[in-house]
Amino acid sequence: MTLTREVLDRWLHRGACAIAGVFFLATLAQQGLDPVEYPPDVFVAWAVLAALAWAWALVDAVHGTEGAWGLRAVVVVALMAGLTQAFFGWPSARPGSTPPLLQAMAPAFAISGFAFSPAASVVLGILCGLAYARIEWIWGDVSTSVGAGLVVWLTALVAGGAVDLLYRAADKVQAALARKWDVEEAIARVRSRRLQHEHWDDLIHDKVLGALRLAWRARNESECRSAAESAAEALRAGAMNDGGWDEGAVPAFRRRLLATCDRLGLRLAWEVD
């Protein structure tokens, strides 16, 4: 399978859906095993929005929809979940563990390089890194919070950079394919022109010159009629060959006919529309 933009978009779309699905299910599992005491309906609201956005992204991936709007919705929902967790600072069930809604933010910096653009992953990586740093600041020390923020931001940079490199590679492959098609088209054009010339050479040799030879050898009315029929057949064959005359073909054809007529002692009446 050739790595074109279309192929790359299709597989990146599916891969981003898989990443979003993994974190969605992992967040549900974590809340089920070590539930955080979120206010009523907060976690439920995130789960419903995340499920709808993920379903939208899956439908887009299956149908090959351009724009990845479903994945963009996944990123927005994930970012909202993480920032909400960072702002309110709900404590984890176990010290040192990542709160579920903060974990749910992972798709925001993991797939934003494809859902939006590689450059967008830088901005979203900074926002997500600040959210992680705030949580670590509340429960840990400065070095831990800075390290957590840098890790998240660098992860976003790597993800966006990988997407950018893949797109650059796909563009190079596509440009190479375009050059290959141009060369093949030029070769086909030359081959068609050569076959066209060969066809006209056969037409001139078999029909036109044959009609002239018959006219030269004609000694009675029957032979003259046969030569006329052969000439008419040559004219019909020429009329049916649309596009057979390229620049310079008509003068060359006339010179060839005149030389043959001179050699055979015939007079040529030349009329071309």
Side-chain angles (χ1 to χ4, degrees):
M1 183 180 296
T2 306
L3 182 66
T4 61
R5 273 261 182 173
E6 181 181 357
V7 173
L8 180 60
D9 278 339
R10 183 164 63 248
W11 286 105
L12 284 177
H13 205 151
R14 295 173 181 175
C17 287
I19 292 172
V22 167
F23 281 103
F24 173 65
L25 297 176
T27 302
L28 293 178
Q30 182 175 350
Q31 178 64 7
L33 294 174
D34 295 307
V36 174
E37 294 183 3
Y38 291 114
D41 300 332
V42 169
F43 190 83
V44 174
W46 165 82
V48 171
L49 290 175
L52 291 175
W54 187 29
W56 184 3
L58 288 175
V59 171
D60 286 349
V62 170
H63 293 284
T65 306
E66 296 182 0
W69 289 102
L71 285 176
R72 293 179 182 182
V74 169
V75 171
V76 171
V77 172
L79 185 63
M80 289 172 57
L83 293 179
T84 302
Q85 171 69 49
F87 182 79
F88 289 101
W90 294 299
S92 298
R94 291 182 301 173
S97 64
T98 303
L101 287 184
L102 191 64
Q103 179 174 278
M105 190 174 61
F109 59 86
I111 67 174
S112 59
F114 171 72
F116 290 94
S117 68
S121 63
V122 178
V123 178
L124 290 175
I126 292 174
L127 289 176
C128 296
L130 291 174
Y132 270 83
R134 173 173 170 76
I135 294 297
E136 293 295 338
W137 179 283
I138 294 174
W139 299 331
D141 53 20
V142 176
S143 60
T144 304
S145 64
V146 172
L150 286 176
V151 167
V152 171
W153 182 53
L154 290 175
T155 303
L157 288 180
V158 171
V163 171
D164 184 59
L165 288 175
L166 287 172
Y167 274 134
R168 290 175 184 270
D171 288 339
K172 290 181 180 179
V173 171
Q174 208 154 323
L177 285 176
R179 290 193 295 269
K180 176 176 177 288
W181 291 334
D182 289 341
V183 171
E184 289 181 352
E185 184 180 354
I187 292 174
R189 193 180 298 114
V190 171
R191 185 183 295 115
S192 175
R193 191 171 300 159
R194 177 177 58 80
L195 293 175
Q196 195 176 74
H197 282 301
E198 290 177 358
H199 174 76
W200 276 103
D201 286 344
D202 293 341
L203 175 64
I204 293 170
H205 183 272
D206 296 340
K207 296 187 179 298
V208 178
L209 298 186
L212 293 177
R213 291 191 183 94
L214 284 175
W216 173 56
R217 294 171 182 163
R219 295 294 180 268
N220 52 51
E221 183 178 351
S222 176
E223 291 176 347
C224 288
R225 190 162 50 248
S226 178
E229 290 176 356
S230 180
E233 183 181 354
L235 291 174
R236 284 194 299 272
M240 291 173 61
N241 197 74
D242 294 336
W245 298 106
D246 57 5
E247 186 178 357
V250 174
F253 184 41
R254 184 181 182 187
R255 286 194 299 272
R256 186 168 180 179
L257 288 180
L258 286 173
T260 303
C261 290
D262 289 342
R263 189 172 68 253
L264 298 177
L266 299 172
R267 292 175 55 195
L268 174 66
W270 179 267
E271 182 180 350
V272 177
D273 183 3

